Amino acid sequence: MEKQPREQAVTEPADSGAGGEEGGSPQVAGARTARPEDRLTLLLRLRAQTKQQLLEYKSVVDANEEKTPEQIMQDKQIEAKIEDLENEIEDVKIAFEIKKLALDRMQLSTALKKNLEKINPKTSVLMDNMKHVLKLNKLIMKSQQESWDLEEKLLDVRKKRLQLKQASEGKLLEIQTEKNKQKDDLASMENSDKIKTIQQNLQMEIQITTVIQHVFQNLILGSKANWAEDSAFKETVLQLEKNLTMM
Amino acid sequence: MSVLRPLDKQPGLNTATILLVGTEDALLQQLADSMLKEDCASELKVHLARSLPLPSNVNRPRIDLIVFVVNLHSKYSLRNVEESLHHVDATFFLGKVGFLITGAGREGHCSIHWNTVVRLARTYRSPLLFCDLEVEGFRATVAQRLVRMLQICAGHVPGVSALNLLSLLRSSENPALEDV
């Protein structure tokens, strides 16, 4: 649906700054009145306007000069750039606000000073308030200091506890390593070759002695001698009966 | 001249031109009259249009401020404004465009939710004004505001530019970066 855009223009001039006439003819030239002050005002105003407009055009030209690689850049980069610029603007705004606050504070303090010079400082409510504020501030500082000290103590206790824990850890570790070493030594000892050979030798000796025992036993039995009668003989025979592997 | 550009013409001396775009002719006319009644040191020119693009055969001065008027009672006005927005150059939105919403007073007749227009203003990063244009007092107030904005956008106020005004207006209404 094609709409015919209609347009109406309504114009009307406004009063010039110091002029005494109302309404006036609908031209900029209508401000050229008889009085030169009006003309001067108008000229000064025009000068200010032209300066401002020139500034705007200049800034647009400068902005356009920077524009070149934007079509090729990706969306994310453009967004990042926009964010950076906005951050800069916010920083400048914040700085401006802080300066304004500082100026306000200075103004307030001079006004306060002048006020104090006028009235009797001992009796005013302001002084009472300020004294109260000072007292409270001192109290705050004291309690802050106390809490800081307590925190320091707490920190020290915690540090000590940590140190003790670490020391006990170390000790336990030592004990464990010692135990392990002992176990290892024992195991190694049991597996060592020397012991094996000694054991083998021992076994051999035991077997030889057992054989000799048996030989003697058989000798004595074979001789058909009565070994129960002589006590020394009996002892010898009984000793031969001893099983050497059990010893 | 299908796209409006902000700085393609020389500014007239001591002249500030505002373009009101909206479908409610009577309201626009009344607003224009209120604006012209305002006391202003510069010469004011008010152009009214139903929609953009403007006919190219007319010789018109440089437009300093465009105000899109949306009536919350009619979806047609919103659609009209949205279509007209395509015919405005992007550099216009650096402070020289504003949205004026009317009809928010009568909640029962509103067919557009105010959140829609708030999002629209946020997309285009432009200031949003609410006013019931049918009430004389409110109309006069918003006319005064528009005249001040127009003076700044036309460069008649030394030290304040349209972009400056935009960032000043923005800090209280909508934060700088919003995902829309």
Side-chain angles (χ1 to χ4, degrees):
Chain A
M1 189 162 87
E2 196 64 33
K3 293 177 284 260
Q4 283 300 325
R6 275 185 295 119
E7 193 188 337
Q8 311 167 19
V10 182
T11 64
E12 192 179 295
D15 304 330
S16 66
E21 62 215 65
E22 52 273 289
S25 51
Q27 285 166 16
V28 179
R32 281 193 210 130
T33 57
R35 293 203 275 173
E37 287 96 19
D38 292 340
R39 254 184 276 167
L40 193 59
T41 326
L42 176 65
L43 279 175
L44 287 173
R45 206 161 5 99
L46 287 178
R47 179 172 173 267
Q49 285 174 9
T50 331
K51 255 189 179 175
Q52 179 73 17
Q53 284 163 352
L54 175 65
L55 187 66
E56 285 179 15
Y57 276 101
K58 261 194 196 171
S59 64
V60 169
V61 168
D62 286 338
N64 278 336
E65 279 172 2
E66 287 181 21
K67 233 177 133 172
T68 33
E70 277 189 21
Q71 269 78 26
I72 322 176
M73 280 206 309
Q74 290 181 343
D75 284 337
K76 292 236 168 106
Q77 291 178 359
I78 292 182
E79 277 181 26
K81 250 199 184 178
I82 292 176
E83 271 199 50
D84 289 337
L85 288 171
E86 293 210 357
N87 282 342
E88 277 184 42
I89 293 177
E90 285 296 324
D91 288 338
V92 170
K93 267 202 250 182
I94 289 172
F96 171 66
E97 284 291 329
I98 291 176
K99 283 181 194 152
K100 212 160 50 131
L101 275 176
L103 272 176
D104 285 344
R105 236 181 282 147
M106 279 170 33
Q107 281 178 338
L108 184 65
S109 60
T110 45
L112 201 59
K113 232 189 339 176
K114 289 200 184 129
N115 195 16
L116 281 178
E117 282 163 9
K118 272 196 274 179
I119 56 180
N120 184 6
K122 300 269 169 131
T123 58
S124 84
V125 180
L126 191 62
M127 289 308 291
D128 293 337
N129 279 346
M130 288 202 13
K131 283 193 188 130
H132 192 57
V133 164
L134 278 173
K135 246 195 299 186
L136 288 174
N137 278 346
K138 275 196 202 135
L139 212 62
I140 289 173
M141 274 174 37
K142 230 192 329 179
S143 20
Q144 272 184 347
Q145 183 70 25
E146 280 173 18
S147 65
W148 193 71
D149 291 335
L150 283 173
E151 274 188 23
E152 285 271 323
K153 277 194 207 151
L154 189 67
L155 260 176
D156 286 337
V157 166
R158 280 209 188 128
K159 256 193 258 181
K160 276 197 204 134
R161 209 197 303 173
L162 187 68
Q163 280 175 353
L164 281 174
K165 256 197 203 168
Q166 284 174 340
S168 70
E169 253 188 63
K171 283 284 180 284
L172 282 174
L173 208 66
E174 267 180 47
I175 291 175
Q176 213 178 23
T177 46
E178 279 299 321
K179 261 200 192 156
N180 284 347
K181 222 177 4 158
Q182 259 185 3
K183 241 197 283 183
D184 287 340
D185 279 346
L186 203 61
S188 70
M189 265 233 280
E190 282 174 5
N191 293 339
S192 88
D193 290 334
K194 241 200 260 184
I195 294 197
K196 280 208 178 87
T197 44
I198 292 178
Q199 272 179 344
Q200 279 177 359
N201 284 348
L202 186 63
Q203 287 297 326
M204 189 79 76
E205 291 298 316
I206 288 177
Q207 283 168 3
I208 291 177
T209 329
T210 322
V211 166
I212 294 177
Q213 271 181 343
H214 288 161
V215 164
F216 275 139
Q217 266 181 353
N218 289 335
L219 266 177
I220 293 179
L221 281 178
S223 68
K224 290 197 175 118
N226 197 1
W227 48 271
E229 285 176 354
D230 198 11
S231 57
F233 205 12
K234 206 171 43 170
E235 270 183 46
T236 325
V237 171
L238 288 177
Q239 201 179 0
L240 288 175
E241 205 40 59
K242 268 199 219 159
N243 193 352
L244 292 169
T245 50
M246 302 293 204
M247 285 225 291
Chain B
M1 210 204 1
S2 61
V3 173
L4 274 180
R5 281 178 222 286
L7 297 172
D8 57 351
K9 289 200 185 127
Q10 295 252 358
L13 271 184
N14 210 25
T15 311
T17 313
I18 181 172
L19 173 67
L20 297 172
V21 178
T23 50
E24 316 276 317
D25 298 332
L27 289 179
L28 292 189
Q29 186 65 46
Q30 284 175 332
L31 182 59
D33 293 335
S34 309
M35 283 183 71
L36 290 169
K37 278 194 221 134
E38 284 294 321
D39 225 356
C40 176
S42 346
E43 201 181 293
L44 290 178
K45 292 195 180 184
V46 183
H47 284 246
L48 306 170
R50 291 206 102 208
S51 69
L52 299 174
L54 299 175
S56 46
N57 46 2
V58 179
N59 185 16
R60 75 174 62 79
R62 177 184 89 148
I63 294 182
D64 297 309
L65 176 62
I66 304 180
V67 176
F68 290 97
V69 179
V70 177
N71 191 355
L72 285 184
H73 299 179
S74 92
K75 290 198 180 112
Y76 168 62
S77 73
L78 180 66
R79 212 165 3 110
N80 180 34
V81 157
E82 279 173 355
E83 280 167 24
S84 311
L85 277 168
H86 297 313
H87 296 277
V88 178
D89 186 41
T91 41
F92 238 118
F93 291 99
L94 294 173
K96 299 202 179 203
V97 169
F99 291 93
L100 178 61
I101 313 297
T102 180
R106 285 187 287 172
E107 191 67 29
H109 294 242
C110 287
S111 55
I112 312 173
H113 198 267
W114 63 270
N115 209 16
T116 323
V117 291
V118 165
R119 256 188 291 131
L120 177 67
R122 235 177 249 173
T123 333
Y124 286 99
R125 306 278 199 261
S126 297
L128 182 65
L129 299 173
F130 281 91
C131 170
D132 213 344
L133 284 177
E134 294 169 17
V135 180
E136 176 69 44
F138 300 157
R139 199 168 56 226
T141 319
V142 89
Q144 211 178 30
R145 272 186 92 170
L146 286 179
V147 164
R148 300 271 187 275
M149 273 177 72
L150 175 59
Q151 278 190 300
I152 293 175
C153 292
H156 291 189
V157 178
V160 187
S161 73
L163 205 51
N164 209 341
L165 181 66
L166 183 64
S167 44
L168 280 176
L169 280 178
R170 178 188 284 165
S171 61
S172 53
E173 289 173 11
N174 36 353
L177 256 189
E178 280 264 347
D179 290 1
V180 172

Short mmCIF file of all heavy atoms in Angstrom, two decimals, chain A residues 7 12-13 23 37 43 46 88 98 102 144 185 191:
data_model
loop_
_atom_site.label_atom_id
_atom_site.label_comp_id
_atom_site.label_asym_id
_atom_site.label_seq_id
_atom_site.Cartn_x
_atom_site.Cartn_y
_atom_site.Cartn_z
N GLU A 7 3.33 16.53 3.46
CA GLU A 7 4.23 17.31 4.31
C GLU A 7 3.69 18.71 4.43
O GLU A 7 3.22 19.31 3.48
CB GLU A 7 5.61 17.32 3.68
CG GLU A 7 6.66 17.83 4.64
CD GLU A 7 7.97 18.02 3.93
OE1 GLU A 7 8.16 17.38 2.88
OE2 GLU A 7 8.77 18.83 4.38
N GLU A 12 7.41 30.10 11.92
CA GLU A 12 7.11 31.33 12.63
C GLU A 12 8.39 31.82 13.25
O GLU A 12 9.18 31.04 13.79
CB GLU A 12 6.08 31.06 13.73
CG GLU A 12 5.50 32.34 14.30
CD GLU A 12 4.47 32.03 15.36
OE1 GLU A 12 3.44 31.45 15.00
OE2 GLU A 12 4.73 32.34 16.52
N PRO A 13 8.67 33.08 13.19
CA PRO A 13 9.88 33.57 13.84
C PRO A 13 9.64 33.75 15.31
O PRO A 13 8.51 33.74 15.79
CB PRO A 13 10.09 34.93 13.16
CG PRO A 13 8.69 35.38 12.88
CD PRO A 13 7.90 34.16 12.56
N GLY A 23 5.66 39.04 17.77
CA GLY A 23 5.25 38.47 16.47
C GLY A 23 6.28 38.73 15.41
O GLY A 23 7.29 38.04 15.35
N GLU A 37 21.54 47.34 19.63
CA GLU A 37 21.85 46.30 20.60
C GLU A 37 21.29 44.97 20.16
O GLU A 37 21.90 43.93 20.34
CB GLU A 37 21.27 46.64 21.98
CG GLU A 37 22.00 47.75 22.70
CD GLU A 37 21.31 49.09 22.49
OE1 GLU A 37 20.14 49.10 22.11
OE2 GLU A 37 21.98 50.11 22.67
N LEU A 43 24.05 39.14 16.33
CA LEU A 43 25.32 38.75 15.72
C LEU A 43 26.12 37.85 16.63
O LEU A 43 26.70 36.85 16.20
CB LEU A 43 26.12 40.00 15.37
CG LEU A 43 25.72 40.67 14.06
CD1 LEU A 43 26.49 41.96 13.89
CD2 LEU A 43 25.99 39.75 12.90
N LEU A 46 24.56 34.50 16.64
CA LEU A 46 24.87 33.79 15.39
C LEU A 46 26.30 33.27 15.41
O LEU A 46 26.59 32.18 14.92
CB LEU A 46 24.65 34.70 14.19
CG LEU A 46 23.20 34.99 13.84
CD1 LEU A 46 23.14 35.95 12.66
CD2 LEU A 46 22.47 33.72 13.48
N GLU A 88 35.31 3.92 27.87
CA GLU A 88 36.02 5.19 27.97
C GLU A 88 35.08 6.31 28.35
O GLU A 88 35.38 7.13 29.21
CB GLU A 88 36.67 5.51 26.62
CG GLU A 88 38.01 4.84 26.40
CD GLU A 88 38.63 5.29 25.09
OE1 GLU A 88 38.55 6.49 24.80
OE2 GLU A 88 39.17 4.43 24.39
N ILE A 98 33.17 12.87 39.82
CA ILE A 98 34.01 13.00 41.00
C ILE A 98 34.48 14.45 41.16
O ILE A 98 34.48 15.00 42.27
CB ILE A 98 35.21 12.04 40.89
CG1 ILE A 98 34.73 10.60 41.00
CG2 ILE A 98 36.24 12.32 41.95
CD1 ILE A 98 35.81 9.58 40.80
N ALA A 102 33.81 16.97 44.22
CA ALA A 102 34.87 17.68 44.95
C ALA A 102 34.57 19.16 45.01
O ALA A 102 34.69 19.80 46.06
CB ALA A 102 36.22 17.44 44.27
N GLN A 144 37.73 -0.83 65.47
CA GLN A 144 38.36 -1.42 64.30
C GLN A 144 39.75 -1.93 64.63
O GLN A 144 40.15 -3.02 64.21
CB GLN A 144 38.46 -0.37 63.18
CG GLN A 144 37.24 -0.34 62.32
CD GLN A 144 37.39 0.62 61.17
OE1 GLN A 144 38.31 1.44 61.15
NE2 GLN A 144 36.49 0.54 60.23
N ASP A 185 64.33 -54.76 54.96
CA ASP A 185 65.55 -55.44 55.39
C ASP A 185 65.26 -56.88 55.73
O ASP A 185 65.98 -57.80 55.31
CB ASP A 185 66.12 -54.72 56.63
CG ASP A 185 66.91 -53.50 56.22
OD1 ASP A 185 67.22 -53.39 55.01
OD2 ASP A 185 67.20 -52.67 57.09
N ASN A 191 65.59 -63.53 52.02
CA ASN A 191 65.82 -64.01 50.67
C ASN A 191 67.30 -64.08 50.33
O ASN A 191 67.64 -64.50 49.23
CB ASN A 191 65.13 -63.09 49.65
CG ASN A 191 63.63 -63.17 49.77
OD1 ASN A 191 63.13 -64.16 50.31
ND2 ASN A 191 62.96 -62.16 49.31
#
